[in-house]
Each structure stands twice: as structure tokens, then as C-alpha cells.
Amino acid sequence: MQRSRELPIHMQRNGFDPVPELNAIRQRDGVVRSTSPFGLDTWVVTRYADVRQVLSDWESFSNVLPGSPESGEGQAVMRSAGNVLVVDPPEHTRLRRTVASEFTSRRLNRLEPRITRIVNDHLDALERSGSSGDLVASFSIPVPSLVICELLGVPFEDREDFLRYTNGFLNTSFSAEERMALHAESHAHLARLAARNRVDPGEGLLGRMVLEHGDELSDAEIVGMVSLLLLVGHETTSDMLSLGTFALLRHPDQLDRLRRDPEIIDAAIEELLRWLTIAHTSTTKVATRQVEIAGHVINSGDLVICSLPAANRDPVLVARPDELDITRPPSRHVAFGHGPHHCIGAPLARLQLRIALPVLLSRFPSLKLAAEPEFRSGHLTHGLKSLPIAW
């Protein structure tokens, strides 16, 4: 499998797997010096227990990086207000609380019929198109995009723009200037939506944020939080739908087992989340004091990255970690992170997978690969450029 040697070690994959070098680091050193996608020297942490330690200890490993907007540099503060990924408690706790109720079972159950309709509508269109197609373009990209827009209350006419934003934010091939321009455009668009909801609150999350927390949240904070939800809510679920389907097609015994026993769908989803680990890493941390990890001294001010795929393939977590086994008991994997910054949208991602994968497999019982897919390189999440299928 071809991969770019220019990518940092924690972003390199060998098909579905972390590259052998990353597994060797976990076995031998546990922690290694590397370079981030943006050219910064970092420590990469690879072992499951160490990753959980870093992600849970926000006092020793802060999300507020030197030189970030939160350290007070001019107009960038407004662009990043509300971004829960770059703040620590108690500010993180205050912001997260304003959207936490949207991801409870009660709220998400009300969204389930709409998700089911979106899934079936796109599978209907795929079926009408003939006997083959690209699952990425026709299903795994538009379904999560529409779902997150439904959740947020983004008007239909704006949704193509938001899909363009989310595709661009995670593409490390973009220059810094291109990323800044894209962020500026998206924030301006969201600011208009926030202002519209201040006057006439809609029924989506954006409108409820204004109604329930409008006095404690600035427009900039609302824009920042909604922008983040659009970004992480679409990209990661899209990648899981396409890569999860590809993984099952590559493991026909697992696919047959799921078709014969659809009741194991929840265990299957947890195993696919662990085995694939779409996110290469959590957010970059900065050590606030001298800490020792796996025998290595991390000094105050050092940057730290946690390799989530390496941690999820640690034998400490599960036996035979490199095997895909959808019948194994669900593990305490870190595919959604861990600790205070554990992904708040995890219940929504699980719900979409629980609905979409069984319907896809039942609608297309003869589903197969039509050509060899190409893995995407250069994004901060792992995914496919396309998934050619036939039925």
C-alpha cells in the first residue's frame, strides 16, 4: 500500500491499519518525538493507558496552546470563540453544557425517523441509478451532512456550502492562507445564520441555543460551537460509513455474521470504531509541567499528540487487537477520545451507523466491490476517496 512518507508518523496508515512503525513505537518506546502536520515538534503517545492518562489530565496537558487565539492574539479570538477543543475547564465545561442536552437519548430519538428517511432516500436514489455506483459520493458524504444540518437547523439552501467547508477544513494539503480564507467564509456564513436565529429562532440546535442560552452566549461563541459541530459531525461519520462498509466487504465472514444476526449491530459498531479509528489523534496538547510518560520526560511547554489508532490496537485493550471481530464484547476504546474532551457527538455518530449500515446491507444483499478503493491521504481523519460498489 502506497503512503506519503512526508506525513507525520501518527497520520500514516497501511490500508486499514496503523503503519508497522507506529506499532513498533508502541511496543518499544511508547513515546516518540515527531513533527505535526503544521511543522511543530511534538511528542507522540501510543500506548492505551498513557493515551487515557494524557486525555483525562487536562491540568497537566492543556488544550490551550501557546500562540493560539485563546492566548489573546487579536481578532483571532473572535474567530475561535466557542471552540470547545481549544479551551480547558471551567470554560470548556460552561460551553459544553449549552449543547449537551442535544445529544441525550431523548433528543436523538426524536431525530431517528428523519435519519431513517435520509438513509432510505439516498439508497433509493442509488438503486435507481443502476447496478453500480460510488458509495462515498452517493451515500456516506451526503447522509451525515444532511443529518448534522437537520440537527443544527441549517437551511437547505446553505447545505452545499457547509459541505464544502467541512471538506476543506481537514485537508492538510491546503495552505495556511487557504484554510484561513475558508474559516473566514464559514464564520461569516454562520454569523448570518446566528443573527437570523436571534430574530426568529428555528427548531434546530441553533435556534434552541439562542432560546435557552442566548443571554450567556455571544454570537461569536454560538458561531464557533456550531462550526465545530458541522466539522466533526460530518467528516468522521462519513468516513466511518465508507470505511466500515469496505472493512465488512473485505471480511466476508464478519459481513455474513452481521447479516445472519443483526442483533449484534451495536457490538459490530464498537468493534469497527476501535479497529478503524477514523481520527488519527485528539487535539494537540501542551504540557503545563514536567511529566514522565513511558520513561520519557515531557517538559513544561512541550507539545503532545495522542495516537488513537495505536492505542486502540494495544493488546492491553483487547486480545488479538489487529483482528476485526464484531462478536467481541465492546471495549473501552478511545476512538471518540477520552476525558473532558470526549466527543460530545458520539451518540449521534453511533445512531447514524446503527441505522445506516443494517439498511444498506439488507437493501443490497449482493453488495460487492466494483473496483479497488483508494485511501485518502493528507486529511486529519482516515477515509476513502471513493468506494466503487456493485449489487
Side-chain angles (χ1 to χ4, degrees):
M1 185 72 62
Q2 294 295 316
R3 63 181 186 272
S4 173
R5 288 293 183 179
E6 296 179 359
L7 291 176
I9 185 67
H10 72 276
M11 292 179 64
Q12 294 180 27
R13 304 279 184 124
N14 187 10
F16 296 117
D17 306 322
V19 291
E21 295 91 335
L22 194 59
N23 288 331
I25 290 167
R26 186 189 61 232
Q27 295 168 12
R28 183 183 64 246
D29 302 309
V31 179
V32 70
R33 294 289 279 177
S34 183
T35 304
S36 79
F38 306 107
L40 301 174
D41 289 333
T42 62
W43 291 97
V44 177
V45 181
T46 62
R47 292 175 182 163
Y48 176 73
D50 294 333
V51 164
R52 283 172 59 93
Q53 174 192 338
V54 171
L55 296 183
S56 61
D57 186 3
W58 62 268
E59 291 180 313
S60 300
F61 301 98
S62 173
N63 275 32
V64 183
L65 302 184
S68 72
E70 283 60 47
S71 63
E73 294 188 359
Q75 293 300 315
V77 174
M78 293 300 293
R79 291 199 300 271
S80 293
N83 184 347
V84 295
L85 296 183
V86 294
V87 292
D88 297 326
E91 179 67 359
H92 172 268
T93 307
R94 178 185 74 86
L95 292 171
R96 187 176 174 115
R97 178 177 55 83
T98 64
V99 295
S101 63
E102 296 300 316
F103 298 95
T104 61
S105 297
R106 181 175 60 87
R107 283 280 174 88
L108 292 179
N109 285 341
R110 288 155 56 179
L111 195 61
E112 185 170 349
R114 180 57 184 152
I115 297 175
T116 302
R117 286 195 296 272
I118 290 171
V119 167
N120 280 307
D121 286 348
H122 283 79
L123 291 179
D124 288 343
L126 187 62
E127 195 169 21
R128 288 194 300 268
S129 69
S131 59
S132 63
D134 175 15
L135 194 72
V136 171
S138 60
F139 187 70
S140 65
I141 285 180
V143 166
S145 179
L146 286 174
V147 169
I148 198 65
C149 285
E150 286 282 340
L151 174 75
L152 296 173
V154 175
F156 184 81
E157 61 270 18
D158 294 328
R159 295 180 183 182
E160 284 297 322
D161 283 330
F162 285 112
L163 179 57
R164 178 169 57 85
Y165 301 150
T166 56
N167 283 340
F169 290 159
L170 296 179
N171 193 335
T172 56
S173 69
F174 279 23
S175 68
E177 291 75 17
E178 288 172 321
R179 282 195 300 270
M180 287 178 62
L182 200 63
H183 275 285
E185 182 184 349
S186 68
H187 273 68
H189 199 153
L190 281 168
R192 292 193 294 271
L193 290 180
R196 189 186 311 168
N197 275 268
R198 288 281 190 188
V199 176
D200 182 20
E203 296 182 358
L205 182 149
L206 188 57
R208 284 192 291 273
M209 288 176 70
V210 169
L211 287 173
E212 298 173 13
H213 304 284
D215 292 339
E216 59 184 291
L217 291 173
S218 67
D219 282 356
E221 288 174 330
I222 292 174
V223 168
M225 295 179 73
V226 171
S227 179
L228 182 63
L229 287 170
L230 276 166
L231 172 64
V232 300
H234 166 263
E235 186 78 12
T236 52
T237 306
S238 173
D239 290 334
M240 269 303 303
L241 281 173
S242 56
L243 270 182
T245 302
F246 183 29
L248 290 172
L249 291 173
R250 273 282 186 259
H251 296 79
D253 58 324
Q254 304 291 300
L255 178 57
D256 290 344
R257 180 64 186 266
L258 183 56
R259 280 190 165 131
R260 285 187 284 107
D261 187 6
E263 295 300 315
I264 67 170
I265 183 60
D266 288 333
I269 288 170
E270 294 309 310
E271 175 68 348
L272 286 167
L273 286 166
R274 179 199 71 82
W275 194 71
L276 293 168
T277 312
I278 298 302
H280 300 301
T281 182
S282 63
T283 52
T284 303
K285 314 283 186 180
V286 60
T288 60
R289 61 183 181 87
Q290 189 178 88
V291 184
E292 184 174 308
I293 301 178
H296 298 264
V297 175
I298 313 296
N299 290 312
S300 177
D302 285 356
L303 300 180
V304 179
I305 283 175
C306 291
S307 172
L308 303 182
N312 279 341
R313 297 293 187 95
D314 193 329
V316 169
L317 174 62
V318 296
R320 309 179 315 279
D322 292 325
E323 294 181 18
L324 177 66
D325 180 2
I326 65 172
T327 66
R328 77 166 87 231
S331 64
R332 298 181 66 185
H333 62 73
V334 290
F336 289 115
H338 178 67
H341 287 87
H342 180 273
C343 177
I344 196 171
L348 179 60
R350 287 184 168 105
L351 178 60
Q352 291 181 76
L353 294 168
R354 188 181 305 124
I355 293 171
L357 283 177
V359 175
L360 171 66
L361 298 179
S362 64
R363 286 282 297 270
F364 299 98
S366 60
L367 188 69
K368 61 183 179 181
L369 293 174
E372 187 66 21
E374 183 180 356
F375 285 91
R376 189 185 60 217
S377 179
H379 278 240
L380 300 183
T381 58
H382 192 42
L384 298 171
K385 289 184 177 180
S386 64
L387 181 58
I389 56 169
W391 56 89

